[in-house]
Amino acid sequence: MAKKASSASKRSKETVSTESREAIEAQVQAFLANGGEIEQVPKGVSGQTNTSGPKHITLGKKPRS
């Protein structure tokens, strides 16, 4: 049977997530202070580019000439 998380472990997880959030915020502020820019990308936009090659492979047969 699994043990329930104690309140001490809950508090330590909350502390870790708060510290992580604070660390990320500090990194973002340092990035912006050094001239970095944040670009907001519209929802649904992908970073993948369209490859115009074949979308399948053939196993065991030589390609047709």
Side-chain angles (χ1 to χ4, degrees):
M1 182 175 265
K3 291 183 178 180
K4 290 186 177 181
S6 68
S7 60
S9 66
K10 282 184 182 178
R11 274 187 250 137
S12 65
K13 287 180 184 178
E14 289 172 3
T15 303
V16 169
S17 64
T18 301
E19 290 172 354
S20 296
R21 256 185 256 122
E22 291 169 352
I24 292 170
E25 180 63 27
Q27 292 171 5
V28 169
Q29 293 304 322
F31 174 75
L32 294 172
N34 287 323
E37 294 181 10
I38 297 175
E39 176 186 350
Q40 288 196 328
V41 179
K43 185 176 181 178
V45 174
S46 173
Q48 293 181 338
T49 57
N50 186 9
T51 57
S52 59
K55 302 210 183 316
H56 65 277
I57 60 171
T58 305
L59 300 176
K61 290 186 177 180
K62 292 184 179 180
R64 294 181 186 178
S65 299

